[in-house]
């Protein structure tokens, strides 16, 4: 059996999704004439209570378009040190927008308003870099799928606004946060000036993210999207996958969360240091190998020989992510393989 838990990006579009994509009405989106893209942008803007949305080929681009609309060259964005924007977008904010970043550190990426405000330096004059925006990742990917507490988001928004700072939400997996917490999408979004969301993670679309904001900011983001080379033509076939994902797959995230929690509970039975299942909020399970003699890469290689694929994220940290293409049988098999390998690792110590 092959069980690919490296990421929730590895899903393949289902036959039903492909059928909807094949039938989608299309037009030239650079001319604003693709009816399926237009309806998806309107639908998702409305879900999040924002005025407008723009479709992008990747979540990184949606983040970058959002950030550059909030931060001028030479100003800074602050965020948590393991956030996607600083670790996984290859310096894009610096390269393309002249934006510097500074970070605070948070256990599991869990947001505390005070942590962000402690390093914020708005209006620093001609001597220090001025902070212009704060980015929050929800759920927090490298933190282990952590759902950010709405009370902390609200508190941060209040303090940020008082200081003249803007807020960006990296909501690649905001869908997972919504399903896990029951907090409405528009409730999460209302504290942010710009919001990015991904269709190609847990929702299972092959391509697609959106940036959401005011009409004015989205008009500007369309200009920059084209400038970056991401003005696309008959992409209704991609937007149709997004519609399908919202209709059919959003509710299924609860199953991903249940399977992730199960995997964590099973691993914890080998040793309590490996993972705390109560910290598995959504579909991401980070396993701590620091009490073994194995590196993350060695451990990932070990389970790979049994057909189970996981990611080595840190020197002693591996990540397993549940998704649409993983069923109960597969997670049972994967947890047996991972447990056996953990057992061996702890015995040989
Ligand atoms: C996946 C992801 C993105 C966007 O990634 P792309 O691969 O560019 O689509 C952004 N933020 C987070 C937290 C992610 O996990």
């Amino acid at each position: 059996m092959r069980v690919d838990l490296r990421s929730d990006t590895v899903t393949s579009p289902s036959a039903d999704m492909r059928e909807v994509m094949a039938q989608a009405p299309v037009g030239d989106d650079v001319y604003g004439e693709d009816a399926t893209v237009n309806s998806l942008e309107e639908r998702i803007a409305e879900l999040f209570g924002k005025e407008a949305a723009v479709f992008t080929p990747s979540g990184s681009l949606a983040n970058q378009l959002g950030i550059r609309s909030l931060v001028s060259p030479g100003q800074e964005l602050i965020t948590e040190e393991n956030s996607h924007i600083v670790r996984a977008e290859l310096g894009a904010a610096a390269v393309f927008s002249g934006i510097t970043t500074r970070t605070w550190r948070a256990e599991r990426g869990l947001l505390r308003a005070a942590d962000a405000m402690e390093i914020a330096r708005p209006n620093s004059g001609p001597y220090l870099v001025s902070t212009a925006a704060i980015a929050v990742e929800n759920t927090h990917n490298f933190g282990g799928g952590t759902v950010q507490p709405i009370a902390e988001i609200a508190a941060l928004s209040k303090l940020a606004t008082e200081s003249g700072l803007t807020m960006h939400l990296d909501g690649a997996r905001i869908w997972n946060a919504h399903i896990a917490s029951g907090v409405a999408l528009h409730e999460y979004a209302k504290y942010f000036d710009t919001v990015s969301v991904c269709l190609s993670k847990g929702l299972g679309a092959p391509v697609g993210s959106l940036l959401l904001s005011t009409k004015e900011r989205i008009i500007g983001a369309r200009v920059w999207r084209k400038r970056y080379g991401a003005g696309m033509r008959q992409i209704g076939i991609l937007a149709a996958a997004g519609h399908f994902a919202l209709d059919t797959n959003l509710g299924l995230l609860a199953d991903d969360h249940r399977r992730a929690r199960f995997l964590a509970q099973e691993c914890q039975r080998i040793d309590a240091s490996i993972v705390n299942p109560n910290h598995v909020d959504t579909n991401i399970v980070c396993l701590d190998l620091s009490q073994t003699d194995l590196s993350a890469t060695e451990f990932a290689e070990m389970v790979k020989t049994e057909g189970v694929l996981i990611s080595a994220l840190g020197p002693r940290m591996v990540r397993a992510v549940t998704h649409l293409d993983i069923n109960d049988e597969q997670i049972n098999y994967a947890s047996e393989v991972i447990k056996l390998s953990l057992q061996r690792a702890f015995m040989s110590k």
Side-chain angles (χ1 to χ4, degrees):
M1 195 182 295
R2 185 176 187 273
V3 185
D4 192 344
L5 299 171
R6 287 171 301 164
S7 174
D8 47 11
T9 57
V10 301
T11 56
S12 295
S14 64
D16 288 347
M17 181 183 275
R18 287 169 195 251
E19 181 62 27
V20 169
M21 293 170 74
Q23 302 301 330
V26 295
D28 190 324
D29 182 55
V30 172
Y31 296 162
E33 289 174 0
D34 190 302
T36 312
V37 178
N38 292 343
S39 65
L40 183 71
E41 288 173 347
E42 281 161 26
R43 178 182 182 178
I44 293 186
E46 195 175 313
L47 269 178
F48 285 85
K50 294 294 181 200
E51 285 176 11
V54 58
F55 186 92
T56 61
S58 73
S60 298
L61 182 58
N63 275 338
Q64 292 303 322
L65 293 176
I67 291 166
R68 70 164 306 127
S69 78
L70 303 178
V71 187
S72 300
Q75 294 185 324
E76 72 180 4
L77 172 83
I78 59 170
T79 191
E80 200 279 329
E81 83 170 21
N82 279 312
S83 62
H84 194 277
I85 286 172
V86 290
R87 284 199 67 198
E89 297 180 12
L90 310 189
V95 173
F96 299 124
S97 310
I99 295 169
T100 62
T101 40
R102 224 153 29 91
T103 56
W104 72 86
R105 181 173 167 64
E107 197 63 32
R108 296 188 294 116
L110 188 67
L111 179 70
R112 284 179 57 241
D115 290 344
M117 292 313 295
E118 197 174 303
I119 68 163
R121 293 290 179 272
N123 305 317
S124 291
Y127 184 57
L128 295 172
V129 177
S130 291
T131 311
I134 305 170
V136 175
E137 189 171 308
N138 195 12
T139 67
H140 197 295
N141 176 6
F142 296 136
T146 306
V147 175
Q148 306 297 6
I150 192 72
E152 289 297 318
I153 295 171
L156 180 59
S157 162
K158 186 167 179 291
L159 295 167
T161 306
E162 284 166 8
S163 302
L165 297 166
T166 53
M167 302 251 292
H168 173 75
L169 170 62
D170 179 351
R173 293 188 183 79
I174 193 67
W175 319 102
N176 298 82
H178 160 64
I179 293 292
S181 69
V183 173
L185 295 167
H186 58 81
E187 176 67 17
Y188 278 128
K190 80 176 187 196
Y191 297 105
F192 296 91
D193 299 284
T194 53
V195 176
S196 69
V197 304
C198 283
L199 303 168
S200 60
K201 301 281 168 77
L203 291 186
V207 176
S209 288
L210 292 96
L211 178 72
L212 322 173
S213 189
T214 58
K215 271 193 186 122
E216 196 187 335
R217 279 212 183 86
I218 295 303
I219 289 169
R222 280 184 199 284
V223 173
W224 278 100
R225 181 184 64 165
K226 183 73 163 61
R227 195 168 279 142
Y228 281 130
M232 298 165 288
R233 304 296 178 174
Q234 287 74 23
I235 48 171
I237 53 171
L238 302 178
H243 275 302
F244 180 90
L246 290 175
D247 294 337
T248 312
N249 296 343
L250 181 56
L252 300 177
L253 293 175
D255 293 325
D256 295 349
H257 299 173
R258 171 176 58 77
R259 292 183 185 115
R261 182 69 70 101
F262 169 78
L263 175 63
Q265 283 163 343
E266 289 297 295
C267 293
Q268 190 208 29
R269 289 168 57 182
I270 306 300
D271 193 89
S273 69
I274 297 165
V275 60
N276 180 349
N278 295 328
H279 289 169
V280 177
D281 293 344
T282 55
N283 66 326
I284 299 176
V285 184
C286 287
L287 302 178
D288 179 356
L289 304 173
S290 57
Q291 300 303 307
T292 75
D293 291 332
L294 285 180
S295 73
T297 316
E298 285 166 339
F299 188 80
E301 281 302 318
M302 215 167 144
V303 297
K304 192 178 172 186
T305 61
E306 303 295 328
V308 176
L309 282 74
I310 57 178
S311 305
L313 269 201
R316 302 248 171 195
M317 177 72 72
V318 291
R319 185 189 70 172
V321 186
T322 57
H323 53 77
L324 211 50
D325 291 356
I326 299 293
N327 59 27
D328 285 340
E329 192 193 349
Q330 288 168 304
I331 203 71
N332 285 338
Y333 173 76
S335 73
E336 285 309 312
V337 167
I338 292 171
K339 268 194 315 187
L340 271 175
S341 301
L342 286 170
Q343 221 155 24
R344 262 185 245 139
F346 273 89
M347 270 175 4
S348 68
K349 243 198 77 139

